[in-house]
């Protein structure tokens, strides 16, 4: 968290159910959900190589792998990017919830492995935790391997860890000196856009998304006066004709008409990539009952300004923007003076294909 005033309240949960206070919330952090750092021995780590997947679908592929390869029946999951790969953290959600209930914890916190709250490392290192020791391998400031032991690493256990790491620089022959690290306020554990997938797929794109996107595009188009008035009038006329011939009592026929209307919009919006990208962004925001206060385009970057109250939804919005197929490299930032949160996102060169199954 590069802005300490936004840091939420943080506590650490050990495997024996003990909760230890780490630090208080910042001035505005008290409005965010508290964070529970899970002891390393409560978590399992894996690295998913997504280099063979198209760039726009890598996050989605990592999410699917995290669900299918989970070692727990009911798992909590957190994702972090590591170049073309993704670090996947799992924990037994049922066990963690039982520990929190036993400790009398009643809030709905964000759960994060304690490793995510550590300062970034370089190459090989061993971290001295409150319980046990963690061996780590870092590459380009991203964690690519992690293993936990209840006791200190000896030569044999260190060699066993280092030997299975592919493409790594040569490891020290003997275990490095264990480091005791502080909590890093700028770590991903406290980010406004953590890579977790706790929401599941309940709000994935479907009929509701299409309807919201179409309605949002209509509103956005109506407010534009930049060379597309003729196309907008034509589209509006076609949409009116479709609606007139579509009985509102028939959900199936209404969906078909909405899809035709969307295709009409897409034919005209192809004249300007920023316009279609802005419409897609408004459609995503509509899923969360949000509307942008401002929207600007600078080259290939679209920026959407929202009220600061949207901070709690930053994680979900970031994932939805990236998985819409219109944006990559979504970066939320805050403007303390204006009391807003701004999403800067890179627009893809071409819109994703639309099929009847989406």
């Amino acid at each position: 968290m590069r802005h300490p005033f936004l840091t939420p309240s943080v506590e650490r949960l050990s495997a024996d159910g003990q909760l230890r206070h780490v630090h208080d919330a910042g001035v505005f952090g008290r409005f965010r959900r508290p964070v529970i750092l899970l002891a390393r021995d409560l978590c399992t780590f894996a690295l998913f190589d997504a280099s063979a997947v198209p760039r726009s679908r890598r996050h989605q592929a990592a999410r699917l792998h995290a669900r299918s390869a989970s070692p727990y029946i009911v798992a909590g999951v957190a994702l972090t990017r590591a170049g073309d790969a993704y670090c996947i953290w799992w924990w037994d959600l049922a066990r963690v919830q039982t520990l929190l209930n036993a400790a009398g914890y009643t809030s709905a916190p964000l759960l994060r492995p304690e490793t995510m709250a550590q300062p970034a490392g370089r190459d090989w290192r061993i971290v001295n935790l409150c319980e046990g020791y963690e061996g780590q391998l870092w590459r380009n400031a991203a964690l690519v391997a992690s293993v936990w032991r209840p006791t200190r690493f000896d030569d044999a256990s260190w060699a066993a860890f280092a030997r299975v790491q592919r493409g790594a620089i040569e490891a020290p022959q003997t275990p490095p000196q264990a480091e005791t690290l502080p909590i890093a306020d700028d770590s991903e554990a406290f980010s406004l856009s953590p890579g977790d997938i706790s929401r599941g797929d309940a709000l994935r794109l479907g009929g509701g998304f299409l309807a919201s996107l179409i309605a949002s595009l209509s509103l956005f188009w109506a407010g534009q006066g930049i060379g597309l008035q003729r196309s907008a009038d034509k589209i509006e006329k076609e949409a009116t004709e479709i609606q007139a011939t579509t009985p509102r009592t028939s959900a199936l026929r209404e969906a078909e008409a909405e899809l035709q209307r969307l295709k009409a919009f897409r034919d005209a919006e192809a004249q300007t990539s920023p316009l279609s990208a802005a419409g897609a962004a408004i459609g995503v925001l509509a899923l969360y009952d949000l509307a942008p206060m401002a929207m600007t385009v600078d080259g290939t970057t679209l920026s959407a300004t929202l009220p600061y109250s949207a901070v709690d939804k930053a994680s979900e919005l970031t994932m939805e923007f990236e998985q819409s197929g219109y944006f990559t490299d979504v970066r939320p930032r805050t403007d303390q003076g204006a009391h807003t949160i701004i999403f800067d996102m890179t627009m893809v060169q071409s819109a994703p294909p639309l099929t009847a199954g989406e």
Side-chain angles (χ1 to χ4, degrees):
M1 173 61 61
R2 292 175 175 79
H3 306 289
F5 64 91
L6 288 176
T7 304
S9 173
V10 182
E11 294 183 275
R12 181 184 182 276
L13 177 67
S14 62
D16 61 2
Q18 297 298 313
L19 272 175
R20 179 173 65 87
H21 185 72
V22 177
H23 62 68
D24 295 323
V27 176
F28 296 108
R30 65 179 182 272
F31 298 109
R32 297 181 57 193
R33 293 168 61 186
V35 172
I36 297 292
L37 298 178
L38 303 177
R40 177 61 180 84
D41 48 326
L42 287 172
C43 306
T44 301
F45 175 88
L47 186 70
F48 174 71
D49 185 1
S51 59
V53 181
R55 188 175 300 274
S56 62
R57 297 301 181 190
R58 288 177 182 175
H59 190 83
Q60 182 180 19
R63 286 164 54 93
L64 291 173
H65 177 76
R67 286 195 297 271
S68 62
S70 170
Y72 306 108
I73 297 177
V74 181
V77 183
L79 300 180
T80 59
R81 196 186 300 269
D84 292 335
Y86 281 84
C87 303
I88 303 179
W89 291 97
W90 291 286
W91 54 88
D92 187 338
L93 193 57
R95 179 186 179 189
V96 169
Q97 190 60 58
T98 298
L99 294 175
L100 289 175
N101 292 341
Y105 200 91
T106 57
S107 300
L110 291 174
L111 302 177
R112 298 285 179 267
E114 64 177 331
T115 303
M116 286 180 62
Q118 298 171 0
R122 181 179 180 183
D123 301 332
W124 305 90
R125 77 179 181 188
I126 295 177
V127 180
N128 183 15
L129 304 173
C130 292
E131 298 92 15
Y133 299 83
E134 182 181 15
Q136 300 176 351
L137 172 61
W138 291 76
R139 184 180 300 125
N140 298 326
L143 182 68
V144 295
S146 169
V147 65
W148 178 84
R149 284 176 54 81
T151 58
R152 290 182 180 274
F153 283 81
D154 55 22
D155 290 351
S157 59
W158 176 252
F161 168 58
R163 186 171 55 249
V164 297
Q165 308 309 326
R166 297 180 179 178
I169 67 170
E170 185 176 357
Q173 294 298 316
T174 58
Q177 183 68 33
E179 305 176 44
T180 300
L181 301 176
I183 294 296
D185 289 339
D186 61 349
S187 67
E188 292 183 271
F190 313 122
S191 171
L192 286 174
S193 55
D196 64 272
I197 60 173
S198 58
R199 290 185 67 245
D201 290 331
L203 294 178
R204 277 311 311 139
L205 305 180
F209 174 81
L210 284 177
S212 298
L213 177 58
I214 295 163
S216 299
L217 281 172
S218 299
L219 293 173
F220 183 80
W221 208 286
Q224 301 305 306
I226 313 175
L228 289 178
Q229 187 61 48
R230 183 176 303 174
S231 296
D233 292 341
K234 180 180 179 181
I235 292 169
E236 185 63 30
K237 180 179 179 180
E238 292 176 355
T240 302
E241 293 173 354
I242 292 171
Q243 289 181 335
T245 59
T246 303
R248 293 183 178 274
T249 58
S250 173
L252 179 59
R253 293 190 61 190
E254 182 175 344
E256 293 174 348
E258 295 289 2
L259 185 56
Q260 293 179 38
R261 187 181 178 194
L262 177 60
K263 289 179 178 178
F265 275 110
R266 291 289 296 274
D267 289 341
E269 72 182 31
Q271 300 176 43
T272 169
S273 177
L275 191 58
S276 60
I282 294 174
V284 171
L285 295 175
L287 286 173
Y288 298 87
D289 295 325
L290 295 172
M293 299 171 61
M295 190 169 290
T296 60
V297 174
D298 183 7
T300 60
T301 300
L302 183 143
S303 299
T305 302
L306 304 177
Y308 187 78
S309 58
V311 162
D312 287 342
K313 301 177 181 177
S315 172
E316 291 86 350
L317 288 171
T318 298
M319 287 188 293
E320 295 288 0
F321 282 136
E322 289 187 345
Q323 294 186 25
S324 70
Y326 284 85
F327 308 104
T328 60
D329 192 23
V330 180
R331 304 174 304 281
R333 56 186 172 89
T334 58
D335 186 335
Q336 183 180 9
H339 205 58
T340 58
I341 178 170
I342 304 169
F343 288 83
D344 297 322
M345 50 196 116
T346 301
M347 298 177 289
V348 298
Q349 292 184 354
S350 60
L354 179 68
T355 63
E358 289 186 324

